[in-house]
Amino acid sequence: MDRIVNGIARGVFVFLYIPIIAVIVYSFNAAGTNTRFEGLTLQWYADLFQDGALMQTLRTSAIVAVLAATVATAIGIMFALGLARYRGRGKGGFMALIALPLIVPEIVLGVALLSVFSATKVPLGIVTLVLGHLIVSLPLATLVLMSSAAMLDPSLPEAATDLGCTPWQTFTRVYFPLLRPAVVAAWLLSFTTSFSNIVMSTFLSGVGSTTLPLKIYSSLKTGLTPSINALGALLILLTLVIVLAVGVSQMRRILVDSRS
């Protein structure tokens, strides 16, 4: 029985990483197609940085993801701290309302937002993309932060006030340092959710605000170019660097805390 379970676990593990390995391998493929392999080349990486349209979609996705993740994390901190200190009725209902966008299909949210923007004559572009991605990212950021905010000692604000802290100093010197790991996790989760979002972007992007996932999706009609494989490999490398940086910093903090 143990051998079967271990075999299934190893199979799932290999299945998860096969697409990632395939993207990296074919980004160096000299054949320029994913159907055969004819040696190694760096040509597609050079072509990637010369593809102005593709780099523009990358910049648009990065700008939208940074804005959506930052706003979602900031609002999520306020929601999390407010709900952690709230003891009255309706707390469960409010939490359900925050998580509701995670249950509603994104295509419904996209159509609804497009109708609102059309009725109010708001032009589609970066702003509408950020608002749309915010609806998807905010519940995730809030739920991540709530789990950490609920573990804080409720007497912390009173103790900080007794020591002469203003409400802002209580937040910056007490709450934020304690919530920093959750804040980082919420921001990264919101960033990746926004950066890879395609459903909301399909409805809310305008002329000149095409995101990278939409560009890649439209490329499927004519076939994926090797430059997109190179871009995927670079994004995987960047993600790995961020994860290692966050992991190393968190490990260093844990070691410092244990020594102190």
Side-chain angles (χ1 to χ4, degrees), residues 4 13 30 41 46 72 74-75 80 83 96 103 105 112 125 150 153 159 164 179 190 194 206 217 219 233 237-238 252:
I4 296 176
F13 188 79
T41 181
I75 298 176
L83 287 173
I103 303 173
D153 190 336
L179 292 175
S190 301
S194 172
Y217 180 73
S219 299
L237 177 62
L238 177 62
R252 183 179 300 172

Side-chain angles (χ1 to χ4, degrees), residues 72-145:
T73 304
I75 298 176
I77 292 174
M78 292 185 284
F79 278 165
L81 291 177
L83 287 173
R85 299 174 59 182
Y86 183 69
R87 294 291 182 271
R89 293 182 177 179
K91 182 177 179 179
F94 193 73
M95 292 176 61
L97 288 177
I98 292 177
L100 187 61
L102 295 177
I103 303 173
V104 178
E106 281 193 32
I107 191 171
V108 176
L109 295 175
V111 172
L113 277 178
L114 180 60
S115 301
V116 172
F117 292 142
S118 298
T120 55
K121 300 187 183 308
V122 176
L124 300 180
I126 299 294
V127 175
T128 56
L129 279 173
V130 172
L131 292 175
H133 290 192
L134 181 61
I135 291 180
V136 181
S137 303
L138 180 58
L140 295 173
T142 303
L143 293 176
V144 170
L145 289 163

Side-chain angles (χ1 to χ4, degrees), residues 7-17:
I8 294 175
R10 291 176 183 178
V12 172
F13 188 79
V14 171
F15 176 76
L16 289 176
Y17 284 91

Side-chain angles (χ1 to χ4, degrees), residues 141-160:
T142 303
L143 293 176
V144 170
L145 289 163
M146 281 180 61
S147 60
S148 295
M151 299 174 65
L152 296 178
D153 190 336
S155 63
L156 283 175
E158 297 179 2

